[in-house]
Amino acid sequence: MEHSFIFVSIITAQLLLFADAVHIGVDYGRLGNNLPAPRDVINLYKRCGIESLRIYDPSPQVLDALRGSNLRVSVGTRNEDLPSLASSQAAANSWVNTNVAPYRNNININWITLGNEVIPGPYATHVAPAIINIQNALRSIGLTGIKVTTVTSMILASSYPPSAGAFTSETTAVMRNVTFVLKQTGAPIMLNVYPYFAYASDPAHISLDYAMFRARTPIVDGQFQYFSLFDAMVDAYYVALKRIGAGSVPIAVSETGWPTAGNSPYTSIANAQTYNRNLLNHVTRQGTPRKPGGIMDTFIFAMFNENKKPNGIEQNWGLFYPNISPVYPFIHC
Ligand SMILES: *[C@@H]1O[C@H](CO)[C@@H](O)[C@H](O)[C@H]1NC(C)=O
């Protein structure tokens, strides 16, 4: 009896540990003039058990601070570097030699993202060729495990219901080319998905409960039932991928979150806390109705409130204030 009690307790403790060790990622946005030093930020990630970190440019200070950290890292190229990375293999080799090779033995770079939300736009046609050149550059120095991809927003012409998901006419051809490349490597397409903006722009028709992963009655889409706007948005994107023959490309969520201030009552500390807590419970346990087994890597936007962003909601996405105190209890560290 006593033994089995101890045994059960150990199992329970391990399950709890396992449940805590979720694949949580947080975006490390750095548009603030009062943010902690990169080394303190990396220590904060580690202390909080945050496993993945995304940076938007290959900052040498951040990369140096990441050495030996074991975090899974997503490194972005600067958008304005895309034309040269796309047109010149030498430029791509040089990017990899500067930003990847020096860290290959002590940083777990898991993703490289060619552009953040550049489709549609003047850089869009450079994305696929830039991915290919960076892949070639990595392969030429024997690095084959890094997923090379890009980050898009919800570039859909329609997303409701999810079965209507389709890329806009100006993005379809580019997305065909990008996913053609991703299909060959198994890299995910990365998606910035913001139920907040959908909800705040139409609160008369979208319920807060649906935005917060806690709808009681589902939205029915054929054989599928949606209890959250997040799932509906991701699945609309998945349907759009299928429509261009790219249903096998996995989706990773590169940004999602909820602002704590700037557009009351939709923004609030309570709403942000609820959204992010329910998001984590959801994405670490299950996929979406159309891909129930597909656990997605998911990054929460963002680590800190960033005071160099535009006034209002844009400055208020952080889990932490710049002085490292939490904006709300969420991650225990
Ligand atoms: C897609 O790729 C093809 C073949 O490389 C190229 O000719 C075409 O211009 C690309 N289209 C877009 C929109 O990037």
Side-chain angles (χ1 to χ4, degrees):
M1 182 63 203
E2 205 176 299
H3 276 107
S4 66
F5 173 74
I6 289 169
F7 180 69
V8 168
S9 300
I10 289 169
I11 296 280
T12 308
Q14 282 180 343
L15 285 176
L16 287 174
L17 272 180
F18 185 71
D20 281 342
V22 293
H23 281 285
I24 162 179
V26 179
D27 296 299
Y28 179 14
R30 300 174 61 240
L31 297 178
N33 63 8
N34 53 358
L35 297 179
R39 195 162 301 280
D40 296 329
V41 175
I42 306 310
N43 284 334
L44 183 61
Y45 271 76
K46 291 198 288 194
R47 199 160 79 235
C48 300
I50 303 167
E51 291 179 294
S52 306
L53 174 151
R54 175 174 173 228
I55 43 175
Y56 292 77
D57 59 40
S59 150
Q61 292 78 22
V62 175
L63 289 170
D64 274 329
L66 279 163
R67 286 183 195 273
S69 68
N70 280 329
L71 296 175
R72 300 153 86 231
V73 178
S74 174
V75 182
T77 61
R78 290 182 189 84
N79 290 344
E80 58 271 27
D81 289 343
L82 286 170
S84 70
L85 295 174
S87 62
S88 157
Q89 185 60 57
N93 292 351
S94 156
W95 194 93
V96 165
N97 283 335
T98 305
N99 301 307
V100 182
Y103 309 99
R104 62 186 294 171
N105 295 324
N106 43 33
I107 303 185
N108 178 9
I109 297 178
N110 208 52
W111 306 266
I112 292 173
T113 56
L114 280 294
N116 182 47
E117 299 192 351
V118 298
I119 303 169
Y123 297 133
T125 57
H126 299 302
V127 171
I131 290 175
I132 292 171
N133 285 346
I134 291 288
Q135 273 166 358
N136 290 340
L138 292 168
R139 200 173 318 114
S140 72
I141 60 165
L143 285 170
T144 54
I146 302 176
K147 299 172 181 75
V148 187
T149 183
T150 189
V151 173
T152 83
S153 55
M154 281 286 290
I155 44 179
L156 304 187
S158 64
S159 61
Y160 182 84
S163 54
F167 289 109
T168 58
S169 55
E170 58 180 339
T171 59
T172 300
V174 169
M175 288 305 289
R176 261 187 224 283
N177 281 6
V178 168
T179 54
F180 180 80
V181 177
L182 300 184
K183 272 191 277 186
Q184 291 162 4
T185 63
I189 186 80
M190 290 182 130
L191 172 62
N192 293 343
V193 52
Y194 283 107
Y196 163 76
F197 287 111
Y199 165 69
S201 68
D202 194 9
H205 295 103
I206 299 174
S207 79
L208 183 61
D209 281 347
Y210 187 56
M212 292 285 159
F213 299 89
R214 61 182 185 206
R216 298 257 168 75
T217 27
I219 286 179
V220 176
D221 181 23
Q223 67 190 103
F224 303 104
Q225 298 195 325
Y226 287 89
F227 291 88
S228 75
L229 180 53
F230 174 89
D231 275 355
M233 292 174 81
V234 171
D235 270 1
Y237 194 92
Y238 169 58
V239 170
L241 287 174
K242 283 219 309 207
R243 233 178 259 283
I244 60 166
S248 65
V249 174
I251 298 171
V253 174
S254 38
E255 290 179 15
T256 189
W258 200 280
T260 51
N263 186 20
S264 181
Y266 312 123
T267 57
S268 68
I269 285 181
N271 281 352
Q273 182 178 18
T274 303
Y275 178 84
N276 283 327
R277 189 189 58 219
N278 292 349
L279 168 82
L280 268 197
N281 283 338
H282 183 70
V283 298
T284 56
R285 287 182 169 81
Q286 58 190 297
T288 61
R290 279 177 161 80
K291 281 204 213 170
I295 305 275
M296 294 177 293
D297 282 301
T298 301
F299 290 83
I300 292 175
F301 189 86
M303 198 63 169
F304 297 104
N305 284 343
E306 295 168 72
N307 69 356
K308 293 302 232 184
K309 293 198 139 187
N311 274 330
I313 64 158
E314 291 301 333
Q315 297 188 354
N316 293 290
W317 292 84
L319 301 176
F320 293 91
Y321 295 107
N323 70 2
I324 289 188
S325 67
V327 178
Y328 45 88
F330 170 60
I331 300 169
H332 302 289
C333 50

